[in-house]
Amino acid sequence: MFDIIIIGAGPAGLTSALYALRANKRVLILEAKSYGGQIINAEKIENYPGIELISGFDFATNLYNQVKKLGGEIKYETVVRVEEDKTVITNNNKYQAKAVIIATGTGNRKLNIAKERDFIGKGISYCATCDGNFYKNKVVAVNGGGNTALEDAIYLANIASKVYLIHRREEFRGENTYLDEIKTKNNIELILNSIVISLNGKDKLESITIKDKNDKTQDIKVDGLFIAIGQEPKNEIFSNVVKINNYGYIESEDGVHTKTPGIYVAGDTKVKILRQLTTAVGDGSIAATVAIKEMKRRRKINV
Ligand code: NAP
């Protein structure tokens, strides 16, 4: 029996673990892939209060080590179901806890076009900092208009010979500081009001077809396409214990509680105004504190 099972070892989940371990709770963290969540891919974090500059990898690793030092137990298993009684079932085990915190974050949104999955690792990537180096002096495209796409384009411009930045609108969602930097890079070409409609090539990506707002299509020869069109949650497996909105995010009236007593939510996977590192760690600390407080209350009244 664990006091708290935390699902997800990103910044929200690891911060929940930190708070619960410091309160002497027996904690199990379940993670499907690797620790760190999305932030591990961020080349630079410059907006975390008190830390002027740190890489996402260093931040995540520091937090992971902090949790491990406190005796945090992490198992790399995929959760397939959570019961109302706080039983957590994974692909190869079954665990019981007094409280569960869901901090599963989000995954990369897919373009959902033919060959996208087949070409992953063969020209298609969702992570410029992970795969950028494979494209030294090659031609790549980045699709998206948020901060990730802008950062990726800048990062890749220092490695690839040419970067096309393809965005479906005229205006970018990402910050002006990145746009200003993009304007200084003469190997980045902006292609606006356009979407990627097909991925071409036999065994690997050789070119993409884009379509503009006037339905005009164009083939562009590229060695790689970095898809940076945002994130989406995957919460269907929790639908018996939480309420999920139309976009797949977990609803919570106060940002912590789900519809099931003793099951809490933290981080990017819930409905919230700002999905950033600062808010994820805040969520994690609140969820653990509330879970611990309510655990004590439930024990007092023997529930
Ligand atoms: P995002 O801000 O949600 O942007 C996604 C972009 O992809 C948008 O420009 C969107 O276009 C476009 N898009 C969505 N679906 C599309 C589709 N099917 N086809 C083509 N384009 C599509 O996602 P993000 O850039 O991954 O950022 C996620 C969060 O992390 C944001 O809050 C961001 O600020 C934050 N972040 C922060 C930093 C930093 O501070 N250093 C770095 C990276 C990310 P529209 O604009 O037309 O909707």
Side-chain angles (χ1 to χ4, degrees):
M1 169 71 95
F2 291 91
D3 289 314
I4 305 182
I5 290 179
I6 296 161
I7 308 174
L14 288 176
T15 306
S16 286
L18 185 69
Y19 273 64
L21 289 162
R22 284 170 57 86
N24 276 331
K25 297 297 163 200
R26 189 160 181 233
V27 175
L28 173 65
I29 305 155
L30 294 169
E31 166 60 51
K33 290 185 194 140
S34 54
Y35 74 82
Q38 298 287 336
I39 200 68
I40 208 156
N41 301 325
E43 193 198 358
K44 293 190 253 176
I45 301 167
E46 292 177 311
N47 58 359
Y48 193 88
I51 302 176
E52 226 172 284
L53 175 67
I54 189 167
S55 72
F57 180 81
D58 285 348
F59 182 89
T61 305
N62 290 347
L63 181 53
Y64 171 81
N65 288 337
Q66 210 174 352
V67 166
K68 290 295 282 180
K69 254 191 199 159
L70 289 169
E73 194 178 338
I74 302 193
K75 285 187 191 284
Y76 292 95
E77 295 176 24
T78 302
V79 172
V80 293
R81 190 172 167 83
V82 176
E83 303 288 1
E84 268 185 44
D85 69 355
K86 272 72 82 186
T87 303
V88 179
I89 301 157
T90 70
N91 46 352
N92 41 5
N93 271 309
K94 204 178 199 183
Y95 303 99
Q96 185 69 50
K98 295 174 192 158
V100 173
I101 297 173
I102 300 173
T104 42
T106 54
N108 298 309
R109 181 174 290 130
K110 305 281 184 295
L111 279 172
N112 286 324
I113 55 177
K115 298 191 180 174
E116 185 174 3
R117 273 164 217 274
D118 301 340
F119 284 170
I120 291 175
K122 296 171 188 159
I124 293 293
S125 170
Y126 300 87
C127 176
T129 48
C130 317
D131 299 329
N133 260 324
F134 297 124
Y135 297 91
K136 227 173 203 148
N137 300 322
K138 294 190 170 176
V139 178
V140 298
V142 175
N143 188 199
N147 277 333
T148 305
L150 301 186
E151 266 190 345
D152 285 0
I154 294 164
Y155 179 79
L156 291 164
N158 295 326
I159 299 170
S161 58
K162 167 104 192 171
V163 180
Y164 294 99
L165 176 56
I166 302 161
H167 177 38
R168 66 181 176 184
R169 286 190 299 132
E170 187 82 31
E171 303 293 324
F172 283 94
R173 188 180 286 264
E175 290 164 28
N176 280 334
T177 47
Y178 293 124
L179 278 171
D180 292 343
E181 196 173 340
I182 281 176
K183 283 177 201 151
T184 68
K185 305 268 180 201
N186 54 18
N187 61 342
I188 300 181
E189 182 177 332
L190 301 187
I191 302 181
L192 303 178
N193 300 309
S194 299
I195 55 167
V196 178
I197 55 165
S198 94
L199 308 173
N200 317 312
K202 199 162 168 264
D203 304 316
K204 63 178 182 61
L205 184 71
E206 286 162 16
S207 72
I208 56 176
T209 308
I210 60 167
K211 185 172 85 170
D212 72 12
K213 62 180 179 187
N214 301 316
D215 284 342
K216 202 173 136 226
T217 61
Q218 181 191 347
D219 283 356
I220 305 175
K221 271 175 94 64
V222 292
D223 300 293
L225 171 66
F226 290 81
I227 300 169
I229 59 169
Q231 306 293 318
E232 55 192 7
K234 284 200 189 91
N235 288 318
E236 299 77 29
I237 57 157
F238 305 121
S239 61
N240 58 321
V241 286
V242 304
K243 204 168 157 209
I244 296 171
N245 77 2
N246 289 341
Y247 303 98
Y249 292 96
I250 295 177
E251 288 191 357
S252 163
E253 264 179 34
D254 60 359
V256 189
H257 292 91
T258 67
K259 69 172 189 181
T260 307
I263 300 185
Y264 307 90
V265 65
D268 281 7
T269 204
K270 68 177 188 155
V271 176
K272 62 189 288 188
I273 294 169
L274 182 64
R275 290 190 177 82
Q276 293 256 298
L277 181 57
T278 46
T279 62
V281 299
D283 287 348
S285 57
I286 294 169
T289 306
V290 172
I292 293 162
K293 239 183 212 164
E294 294 185 353
M295 213 183 287
K296 279 188 197 147
R297 204 177 300 149
R298 280 206 304 274
R299 203 166 47 217
K300 261 190 206 152
I301 55 170
N302 266 340
V303 179

Short mmCIF file of all heavy atoms in Angstrom, two decimals, residues 44 46 66 87 94 104 108 110 139 161 173 235 264:
data_model
loop_
_atom_site.label_atom_id
_atom_site.label_comp_id
_atom_site.label_asym_id
_atom_site.label_seq_id
_atom_site.Cartn_x
_atom_site.Cartn_y
_atom_site.Cartn_z
N LYS A 44 16.60 25.76 -23.85
CA LYS A 44 16.89 26.76 -22.83
C LYS A 44 15.62 27.09 -22.06
O LYS A 44 14.56 27.26 -22.67
CB LYS A 44 17.35 28.07 -23.49
CG LYS A 44 18.65 28.01 -24.19
CD LYS A 44 19.09 29.40 -24.57
CE LYS A 44 18.94 29.65 -26.06
NZ LYS A 44 19.26 30.98 -26.49
N GLU A 46 14.42 30.15 -19.78
CA GLU A 46 14.87 31.48 -19.37
C GLU A 46 13.82 32.22 -18.56
O GLU A 46 14.00 33.38 -18.23
CB GLU A 46 15.22 32.32 -20.61
CG GLU A 46 16.44 31.80 -21.35
CD GLU A 46 16.73 32.59 -22.62
OE1 GLU A 46 15.79 32.80 -23.40
OE2 GLU A 46 17.88 33.00 -22.79
N GLN A 66 16.72 15.06 -7.10
CA GLN A 66 16.20 15.54 -5.81
C GLN A 66 15.18 14.54 -5.25
O GLN A 66 15.21 14.20 -4.06
CB GLN A 66 15.51 16.89 -6.06
CG GLN A 66 15.53 17.86 -4.93
CD GLN A 66 14.94 19.21 -5.37
OE1 GLN A 66 14.67 19.43 -6.55
NE2 GLN A 66 14.76 20.09 -4.41
N THR A 87 -6.93 1.86 -6.87
CA THR A 87 -6.09 0.79 -7.42
C THR A 87 -5.58 1.31 -8.76
O THR A 87 -6.36 1.84 -9.57
CB THR A 87 -6.93 -0.49 -7.69
OG1 THR A 87 -7.55 -0.87 -6.47
CG2 THR A 87 -6.06 -1.62 -8.19
N LYS A 94 -0.25 -4.28 -10.47
CA LYS A 94 -1.44 -3.67 -9.86
C LYS A 94 -0.96 -3.07 -8.54
O LYS A 94 -0.28 -3.76 -7.76
CB LYS A 94 -2.44 -4.79 -9.59
CG LYS A 94 -3.86 -4.36 -9.50
CD LYS A 94 -4.70 -5.61 -9.27
CE LYS A 94 -6.13 -5.39 -9.60
NZ LYS A 94 -6.96 -6.54 -9.33
N THR A 104 -0.04 13.44 -16.08
CA THR A 104 0.46 12.76 -17.28
C THR A 104 0.83 13.72 -18.42
O THR A 104 1.26 13.26 -19.48
CB THR A 104 -0.60 11.76 -17.78
OG1 THR A 104 -1.88 12.39 -17.69
CG2 THR A 104 -0.62 10.51 -16.94
N ASN A 108 2.78 14.95 -28.19
CA ASN A 108 2.86 15.78 -29.40
C ASN A 108 1.64 15.60 -30.28
O ASN A 108 1.24 14.47 -30.57
CB ASN A 108 4.10 15.40 -30.22
CG ASN A 108 5.36 15.65 -29.44
OD1 ASN A 108 5.56 16.73 -28.90
ND2 ASN A 108 6.22 14.64 -29.34
N LYS A 110 -0.32 15.28 -33.61
CA LYS A 110 0.09 14.73 -34.91
C LYS A 110 -0.62 15.49 -36.04
O LYS A 110 -1.73 15.99 -35.86
CB LYS A 110 -0.29 13.24 -34.99
CG LYS A 110 0.25 12.38 -33.84
CD LYS A 110 1.70 12.04 -34.04
CE LYS A 110 2.26 11.11 -32.99
NZ LYS A 110 2.34 11.63 -31.62
N VAL A 139 18.44 20.02 -45.65
CA VAL A 139 17.30 20.93 -45.76
C VAL A 139 16.16 20.39 -44.91
O VAL A 139 15.77 19.23 -45.04
CB VAL A 139 16.86 21.06 -47.24
CG1 VAL A 139 15.64 21.96 -47.36
CG2 VAL A 139 18.01 21.59 -48.08
N SER A 161 21.32 23.42 -43.52
CA SER A 161 21.71 24.47 -44.48
C SER A 161 20.52 25.40 -44.75
O SER A 161 20.70 26.58 -45.03
CB SER A 161 22.18 23.82 -45.79
OG SER A 161 21.16 23.01 -46.31
N ARG A 173 1.78 32.62 -33.17
CA ARG A 173 1.34 32.55 -31.79
C ARG A 173 2.55 32.74 -30.85
O ARG A 173 2.41 33.20 -29.74
CB ARG A 173 0.76 31.15 -31.57
CG ARG A 173 0.07 30.90 -30.28
CD ARG A 173 -0.43 29.49 -30.30
NE ARG A 173 -1.58 29.33 -31.16
CZ ARG A 173 -2.84 29.37 -30.74
NH1 ARG A 173 -3.07 29.53 -29.46
NH2 ARG A 173 -3.83 29.22 -31.56
N ASN A 235 -6.19 11.28 -22.04
CA ASN A 235 -6.79 10.96 -20.73
C ASN A 235 -7.93 9.95 -20.78
O ASN A 235 -8.57 9.71 -19.77
CB ASN A 235 -7.30 12.26 -20.09
CG ASN A 235 -6.15 13.11 -19.60
OD1 ASN A 235 -5.20 12.59 -19.02
ND2 ASN A 235 -6.20 14.40 -19.86
N TYR A 264 -6.46 13.19 -7.69
CA TYR A 264 -6.17 14.61 -7.95
C TYR A 264 -5.50 14.75 -9.32
O TYR A 264 -5.00 13.79 -9.88
CB TYR A 264 -5.25 15.16 -6.84
CG TYR A 264 -5.80 14.88 -5.46
CD1 TYR A 264 -5.47 13.70 -4.78
CD2 TYR A 264 -6.67 15.78 -4.83
CE1 TYR A 264 -6.00 13.42 -3.52
CE2 TYR A 264 -7.20 15.51 -3.57
CZ TYR A 264 -6.86 14.33 -2.92
OH TYR A 264 -7.39 14.06 -1.69
#
